[in-house]
Amino acid sequence: MAKVISTLFISADGVAEIDPDWHFPYFDDNMGRAVTEDYETADVLLIARPTYDSFAGAWPDREAAGGEDAPFAKQLGDMRKVVVSRQPLEFSWRNSELIQGDLADAVAALKAAPDVKGILIPGSISVVQQLLAAGLVDELRLLVHPVAARKGRKLFDEGDAPYHLRVAATEAYPTGVLRVIYTPAEAPGTVGYDEVKEQVPAGN
């Protein structure tokens, strides 16, 4: 079964809608390595229409230009790209296709496909939110920037029940960025004040 991995740049106050003003000053070799590791987990990119438009508007030209980022641009071009969109699309970037049918059903089928190694969702907040609600995200890989963005779309939307997570790995970079990898977890047992009051600090 292929894993679905979400990779996001995020601010300390939970904003996952990137603003270049607070993102790029923190991008360094460590973050580049983390991004490389994320992309090495997958052979399918699952992206929302806005993310696709942004990627397709930049990476093919960067591949053609042959600069320092051309190898990564080629890697993106070679990957299978499954796009989530309510409107039909005309694709100019190779290996691109429109998701068919219900999102959760289509992703479940991708996870079960024998020829799929892994599914990576870069950005695409709306897709991540829907798949979290459907229980189809296997890992959240967050690069938490040491900044409170104070505006922009947050990763976690409002809902009736919390998402419980387990910390699978952490790294701290010299820039102050924290890399945190979460996996879904079972809810802990019901605990109230009476169960924890022995841990409350004693007064002087």
Side-chain angles (χ1 to χ4, degrees), residues 24-98:
F24 284 118
Y26 294 102
F27 201 100
D28 66 354
D29 290 344
N30 294 292
M31 196 181 292
R33 173 181 52 80
V35 171
T36 298
E37 290 175 3
D38 293 343
Y39 277 85
E40 287 175 348
T41 67
D43 53 357
V44 174
L45 289 185
L46 178 64
I47 45 181
R49 169 73 181 272
T51 303
Y52 177 83
D53 287 344
S54 175
F55 278 25
W59 290 111
D61 289 342
R62 291 171 182 170
E63 180 181 354
E68 291 183 2
D69 54 1
F72 182 63
K74 182 181 184 303
Q75 179 184 351
L76 291 179
D78 289 343
M79 292 180 77
R80 179 182 175 190
K81 291 165 284 292
V82 180
V83 184
V84 181
S85 174
R86 293 188 178 90
Q87 304 296 327
L89 288 172
E90 298 243 347
F91 294 112
S92 57
W93 199 12
R94 67 185 184 277
N95 300 322
S96 300
E97 64 192 76
L98 190 64

Side-chain angles (χ1 to χ4, degrees), residues 5 7 11-12 25-26 66 102 114-115 132 139 147 150 166 188 195 198 204:
I5 295 175
T7 178
S11 68
Y26 294 102
D102 176 77
D115 59 337
L132 279 170
E139 291 185 11
V147 58
R150 303 184 65 199
R166 181 182 72 85
E195 285 77 29
E198 292 184 1
N204 294 326

Side-chain angles (χ1 to χ4, degrees), residues 1-5 102-109 111 119 121 128 130-139 184:
M1 185 74 72
K3 282 186 177 182
V4 173
I5 295 175
D102 176 77
L103 174 61
D105 291 343
V107 172
K111 282 171 66 75
I119 303 155
I121 313 171
V128 177
Q130 292 176 69
L131 296 182
L132 279 170
L136 289 170
V137 175
D138 297 291
E139 291 185 11

